[in-house]
Amino acid sequence: MRDGPELDILVVGGGVVGAGAALDAATRGLKVGLIEARDWASGTSSRSSKLMHGGLRYLEMLDFALVREALKERGLSLGTLAPYLVQPVRFLYPLKHRVWERPYVGAGIALYDAMAATSGNRMGLQWHKHLSKKKALRVAPALKPDSLVGAVQYSDAQVDDARHTMTIVRTAATYGALVANRTRVTRFERAGEHVVGANVTDLESGEEFLVSAKQVINATGVWTDDTQAMADTRGQFHVRASKGVHLVVPRDRLQLDTGLILRTEKSVLFVIPWGRHWIVGTTDTDWDLDKAHPAASSSDIDYVLEHVNSVLRSPLTASDVEGVYAGLRPLLTGESESTSKLSREHVVGHPAPGLVVVAGGKYTTYRVMAKDAVDEAVRSLDAKVPESCTEQVPLVGADGWVAMQNARHELAETYGINVVRVEHLLHRYGSMVKEVLTLIADDPSLAEPLPGADDYLRAEVPYAVSHEGARHLDDVLARRTRASIETWDRGTAAAQVVADLMAPLLNWSPEQVAREVSHYLARVEAERASQQQPDDATADAARLGAEDIVPIG
């Protein structure tokens, strides 16, 4: 980007929407660059509820267009775009009121299923079904008998958000996009009224340079207002951050054969199956403190536990919580004081010639947001540009993944690892799984699991560096794997081993290895301290006690 010719489009922001915009532009034959100040998906896009869904509560709010659009995108991801990363998941909706609630909820979920079917992308998800109280307790023995009078069970989908976003970036790169993380915009370059590129800083080296582009797309999520300010433009809309906190608990702690969706006074609470764990959340509160590291307070944790415990026979306690994470939703500001009422619709604006801004939306509809942003940008390009084709562009690892899945027993035998391990790897790498297994063939010690994080093999660490853009220890422990939220020690037991595996590929000195480990341990300590604090302000102060390994200014 520094030395090459002028780009057609420069995308700022390496979350799911920015990644999607880079892929959309690259597959139209455009010269495109993508820059991200930290790691891919290091913000909102690694801290979601990890669902690909239409959103039942938006249906209740009569936002039919958003739900229909999201259900279509869910089907595309399940069937064409990322079938190895996006998986079906079942949810139980407990009914608390006799007579009126079953027809009301049943009609809503029937409409939800019907909208998915008419989109042409239902992708074999099971239809909803009504359950008596007895049958509901059979699939969800963890529920108190007096917490329900019956239930409705329905299907949705889930995704490893951080891995999905990184895979979109990787796919964009295979189609010619120039992608660079740890690269921060310091200001937008202007020629008169026109934005003609961005001055950026390589945060690893400190080098500053200009990236010239005919159009710039600002896809910075909750940082939208801050980024717009760099262009000296008055924003056409504003983005407000809503904090969502999730807890991770062991799978054996809740006796459930299904996920749960529970109504709360503000929104809904999910209990989501996640490998050998459950994800429980979320909260929905305004946040105006540090956007890079939103902190979960003890009040947030207590709120989630209180609401889920209202229906559980055996209540969860803080000691059951393996991991905690907090993310920020980018909401378009509205009149309501409650963030749960703000819009999840997305908007695209053109606040200055050469600058396009996309904001709002939800994870599931990332591809539509990206398409709309690129559509707006190409209107100002001189050449005729093809229409978006990303509906038909599978992410890397999707092509041939079913055949590889069918060969899982042979792969296990060939590489000498358990077939369950192979299945886990297949759902992380798809048809690229042999690239990871080849590392094990070359060095059998890489078949060993990471200390304290048994779900992940050592081979996944060098692969994360060589193929997935991991530059630092927390990139691997927090996003390429999810050890930071899935293990009791938050990944600290694996830190030294992971750093040692990364070191030769990144030419780290022993001092840098020690610095990476020390930084990660301090990060975990600061997160734990923040979760003991009573409110947002004190939690934020505690979390900021650990600096970033690469300060972003």
Side-chain angles (χ1 to χ4, degrees):
M1 282 186 271
R2 178 190 58 199
D3 302 322
E6 179 186 42
L7 299 173
D8 293 314
I9 293 177
L10 172 66
V11 182
V12 181
V16 71
V17 177
L23 176 59
D24 188 286
T27 52
R28 298 190 198 206
L30 298 172
K31 294 193 294 289
V32 58
L34 171 66
I35 57 176
E36 160 59 40
R38 296 187 294 160
D39 183 28
W40 310 120
S42 56
T44 301
S45 296
S46 60
R47 305 177 191 182
S48 72
S49 294
K50 312 197 188 312
L51 294 176
M52 279 270 186
H53 64 144
L56 274 182
R57 73 184 178 103
Y58 302 117
L59 193 60
E60 189 173 29
M61 294 161 63
L62 306 182
D63 199 342
F64 298 116
L66 176 62
V67 175
R68 184 180 294 107
E69 181 178 81
L71 288 172
K72 177 186 175 184
E73 294 303 311
R74 181 191 73 179
L76 279 171
S77 290
L78 274 166
T80 302
L81 306 184
Y84 69 99
L85 289 170
V86 181
Q87 298 295 311
V89 61
R90 294 285 275 172
F91 286 104
L92 191 77
Y93 189 121
L95 303 171
K96 295 184 177 181
H97 306 281
R98 298 185 185 278
V99 185
W100 67 268
E101 192 178 17
R102 186 179 290 277
Y104 176 73
V105 172
I109 294 178
L111 178 58
Y112 193 70
D113 277 352
M115 290 171 75
T118 56
S119 75
N121 287 291
R122 187 166 171 77
M123 296 314 303
L125 291 177
Q126 295 180 53
W127 288 85
H128 73 282
K129 59 182 179 181
H130 287 264
L131 301 179
S132 65
K133 177 177 178 177
K134 183 178 180 181
K135 287 185 177 178
L137 290 172
R138 195 173 297 154
V139 297
L143 294 179
K144 293 177 183 174
D146 62 358
S147 69
L148 74 166
V149 296
V152 182
Q153 193 175 35
Y154 72 99
S155 297
D156 243 319
Q158 65 181 169
V159 64
D160 183 336
D161 47 7
R163 172 152 293 276
H164 179 252
T165 297
M166 178 276 299
T167 303
I168 299 170
V169 176
R170 190 173 170 187
T171 307
T174 67
Y175 284 98
L178 305 173
V179 303
N181 55 8
R182 307 288 178 181
T183 306
R184 182 172 67 92
V185 171
T186 52
R187 67 182 175 86
F188 290 113
E189 185 73 10
R190 301 187 79 134
E193 291 298 310
H194 286 254
V195 173
V196 293
N199 287 278
V200 304
T201 300
D202 177 346
L203 296 175
E204 299 284 357
S205 67
E207 183 182 2
E208 298 181 10
F209 54 92
L210 171 67
V211 177
S212 297
K214 296 170 185 173
Q215 293 284 310
V216 176
I217 295 177
N218 175 7
T220 51
V222 294
W223 284 272
T224 297
D225 290 6
D226 307 78
T227 317
Q228 280 193 149
M230 292 183 194
D232 298 321
T233 61
R234 183 184 176 122
Q236 296 171 309
F237 44 82
H238 294 282
V239 172
R240 188 163 139 193
S242 165
K243 183 177 70 168
V245 171
H246 295 80
L247 312 182
V248 182
V249 300
R251 191 68 177 262
D252 60 8
R253 185 59 186 81
L254 295 177
Q255 197 177 356
L256 297 169
D257 295 327
T258 177
L260 300 176
I261 177 172
L262 309 171
R263 185 186 291 274
T264 70
E265 69 277 7
K266 288 184 178 180
S267 182
V268 293
L269 189 81
F270 285 102
V271 179
I272 305 163
W274 181 256
R276 295 195 292 173
H277 318 270
W278 298 98
I279 293 175
V280 186
T282 181
T283 60
D284 196 347
T285 55
D286 207 10
W287 178 264
D288 57 6
L289 300 168
D290 181 60
K291 294 173 184 169
H293 304 293
S297 68
S298 62
S299 299
D300 294 321
I301 295 169
D302 290 346
Y303 173 90
V304 175
L305 290 175
E306 177 188 344
H307 281 77
V308 74
N309 284 339
S310 69
V311 300
L312 296 179
R313 287 177 188 257
S314 174
L316 294 173
T317 68
S319 63
D320 293 313
V321 177
E322 294 173 289
V324 181
Y325 65 94
L328 300 178
R329 305 176 192 88
L331 303 181
L332 300 174
T333 54
E335 297 300 319
S336 171
E337 288 299 311
S338 169
T339 63
S340 61
K341 298 295 185 185
L342 296 183
S343 176
R344 296 305 297 273
E345 296 278 6
H346 71 272
V347 295
V348 176
H350 219 138
L355 178 64
V356 171
V357 181
V358 57
K362 58 202 292 284
Y363 193 100
T364 307
T365 57
Y366 81 91
R367 193 196 64 81
V368 179
M369 297 175 66
K371 170 188 172 296
D372 289 349
V374 176
D375 280 347
E376 183 65 29
V378 301
R379 287 193 185 99
S380 301
L381 297 180
D382 294 333
K384 181 171 174 56
V385 177
E387 294 292 317
S388 174
C389 63
T390 50
E391 272 194 34
Q392 305 163 54
V393 179
L395 302 187
V396 290
D399 277 340
W401 110 271
V402 174
M404 202 67 73
Q405 175 87 346
N406 292 340
R408 60 191 180 279
H409 293 282
E410 182 183 340
L411 288 170
E413 186 175 344
T414 300
Y415 292 96
I417 61 176
N418 190 286
V419 69
V420 175
R421 289 274 188 205
V422 173
E423 289 174 347
H424 187 253
L425 291 170
L426 279 164
H427 283 291
R428 288 171 52 72
Y429 302 96
S431 58
M432 299 180 293
V433 69
K434 279 191 176 180
E435 296 175 358
V436 181
L437 294 174
T438 297
L439 297 176
I440 293 172
D442 295 339
D443 180 356
S445 71
L446 295 178
E448 295 177 22
L450 293 176
D454 291 351
D455 285 343
Y456 304 102
L457 302 182
R458 296 184 182 213
E460 298 183 71
V461 177
Y463 189 84
V465 175
S466 61
H467 289 69
E468 297 177 344
R471 305 283 296 275
H472 293 283
L473 181 57
D474 65 345
D475 297 348
V476 173
L477 291 174
R479 287 171 293 278
R480 303 308 181 277
T481 72
R482 309 318 292 268
S484 67
I485 60 170
E486 293 176 350
T487 61
W488 289 106
D489 66 7
R490 312 285 172 93
T492 57
Q496 186 66 54
V497 168
V498 172
D500 289 339
L501 288 167
M502 296 176 74
L505 292 164
L506 293 166
N507 297 316
W508 286 348
S509 65
E511 292 75 21
Q512 177 66 15
V513 170
R515 183 169 170 264
E516 292 280 339
V517 173
S518 175
H519 164 267
Y520 186 79
L521 298 181
R523 168 199 153 147
V524 170
E525 190 62 34
E527 287 179 347
R528 287 190 187 278
S530 72
Q531 291 154 20
Q532 301 297 316
Q533 304 306 313
D535 54 41
D536 284 353
T538 52
D540 179 66
R543 176 60 186 88
L544 292 178
E547 296 181 354
D548 284 321
I549 187 73
V550 180
I552 61 173

